[in-house]
Amino acid sequence: MNVKKHIIFNSFYPVTELSSAIDFFYYNYGEYSAISHFQTPFLHQEMVINLGDTFQISDLKQKVLNRSLNFWVSGIQTVPLIAELHGKHRSVGILFKPWGIHQIFGTNSSELLNEIMPGECLEGNYIKQFITDNQDKCFDSQFFIQLESYILKKYKLTSLNHQLMQSVGFSPKSQEVPFNLKSLSAEYRLASKTLIGHFNRAIGLSPNKYFNFLRVLESYRLIEDNPKTKLTQLASKLGFFDQSHFIRVFKSFCDITPSVYKKYL
């Protein structure tokens, strides 16, 4: 989660084989916060332990998604959310790679897509217990090295298909759109059904939806950089057939149109 005002953000990168599943650990804190933050969709999974006061995640219709939770996990979020902080803030979290929760906990990531669920659903209580037992200590690099060792003792990393990792690292260029599953399957010598199964279990999205979501995320970045950019230009730059196609795909993931998103900037 990315909150800039009044909150101090510290990140710590894995130093063990967990780096294949985790982008970074983090510790956020602030003596007093009263913040409402628009959170754009992102291609990560996350685990959060709230050690402070109110930390609320809502959708754009103001439905609270983590009500009564101080320990939760979320899959890839394709829709924008609102994060609200009130009072003293302390939170510890793990930002996983798109397949990270599947790799560590063996969870089918399709069950987590656009969901915020109690951390207990992953048998993640070991992690919560370790953090809460040590919450009076300093959350520094040494603490997170100890947490890594603790995770590795409790959980066995799932082996991921090497071709899957290669294909996930593939970033579609405009000239390679529309996405072609048959070509991708041939490139990595996997049956289309096998490739789709790998993506759905590990990431929670089919290959086609994954690559379309990459384009939608890039459109968020481009709109934020220059809100006056015309949608026709974005559609062309990102390889959509036309403006209508771009808007349709954008809304299918985000439940809002690009024009509505601009109003939140």
Side-chain angles (χ1 to χ4, degrees):
M1 150 152 197
N2 182 21
V3 175
K4 298 179 181 178
K5 293 174 65 178
H6 311 302
I7 298 296
I8 297 175
F9 181 90
N10 294 296
S11 58
F12 304 89
Y13 295 91
V15 295
T16 67
E17 58 266 39
L18 284 178
S19 60
S20 67
I22 294 173
D23 267 340
F24 58 82
F25 302 91
Y26 64 80
Y27 172 53
N28 295 341
Y29 66 94
E31 284 306 310
Y32 180 79
S33 305
I35 299 170
S36 180
H37 172 72
F38 181 86
Q39 182 172 298
T40 58
F42 59 99
L43 194 64
H44 288 90
Q45 301 168 326
E46 191 170 20
M47 175 179 286
V48 181
I49 297 95
N50 179 30
L51 302 171
D53 296 328
T54 301
F55 185 173
Q56 183 173 288
I57 307 294
S58 306
D59 62 21
L60 297 187
K61 297 178 181 179
Q62 299 184 332
K63 178 184 177 181
V64 179
L65 304 176
N66 65 332
R67 190 180 301 277
S68 302
L69 296 179
N70 61 9
F71 173 43
W72 65 87
V73 294
S74 60
I76 290 172
Q77 300 292 315
T78 70
V79 296
L81 300 172
I82 302 294
E84 294 185 64
L85 308 176
H86 298 280
K88 186 173 182 179
H89 180 72
R90 293 180 75 216
S91 64
V92 178
I94 303 174
L95 201 68
F96 298 93
K97 294 182 185 296
W99 55 84
I101 285 180
H102 172 75
Q103 189 176 5
I104 294 176
F105 300 98
T107 305
N108 187 328
S109 290
S110 61
E111 298 173 3
L112 289 174
L113 181 66
N114 285 325
E115 295 287 345
I116 293 179
M117 304 173 68
E120 290 80 4
C121 74
L122 297 183
E123 299 182 358
N125 273 333
Y126 292 114
I127 297 175
K128 178 186 177 184
Q129 192 65 49
F130 182 87
I131 290 172
T132 53
D133 286 348
N134 291 277
Q135 62 179 300
D136 293 330
K137 298 181 180 179
C138 180
F139 290 120
D140 57 11
S141 59
Q142 287 303 309
F143 169 83
F144 287 103
I145 289 173
Q146 293 173 10
L147 177 58
E148 280 193 71
S149 298
Y150 187 80
I151 292 173
L152 288 170
K153 288 178 181 177
K154 294 293 183 180
Y155 305 98
K156 182 179 180 181
L157 296 186
T158 300
S159 177
L160 290 179
N161 184 285
H162 181 62
Q163 284 90 348
L164 170 68
M165 310 303 291
Q166 287 181 307
S167 57
V168 167
F170 172 81
S171 180
K173 305 290 191 299
S174 59
Q175 68 267 23
E176 295 166 320
V177 175
F179 169 77
N180 189 311
L181 177 62
K182 186 176 180 180
S183 298
L184 188 66
S185 299
E187 183 176 355
Y188 295 108
R189 299 180 182 179
L190 289 173
S192 295
K193 185 176 180 179
T194 301
L195 188 62
I196 292 171
H198 284 324
F199 267 77
N200 281 328
R201 284 191 299 275
I203 299 172
L205 292 166
S206 69
N208 184 57
K209 288 184 177 179
Y210 172 79
F211 291 123
N212 272 332
F213 186 46
L214 285 182
R215 291 194 285 169
V216 168
L217 290 178
E218 178 65 5
S219 74
Y220 268 95
R221 186 189 68 79
L222 293 171
I223 291 172
E224 184 175 2
D225 287 347
N226 185 3
K228 294 183 180 180
T229 302
K230 294 181 179 180
L231 297 186
T232 51
Q233 293 176 311
L234 286 173
S236 176
K237 183 178 181 66
L238 294 169
F240 292 98
F241 295 126
D242 52 30
Q243 177 177 311
S244 296
H245 182 218
F246 167 49
I247 293 172
R248 186 168 65 251
V249 172
F250 188 102
K251 189 174 182 180
S252 72
F253 284 105
C254 309
D255 288 339
I256 59 174
T257 64
S259 296
V260 171
Y261 166 59
K262 288 183 179 183
K263 296 178 182 179
Y264 286 94
L265 297 177

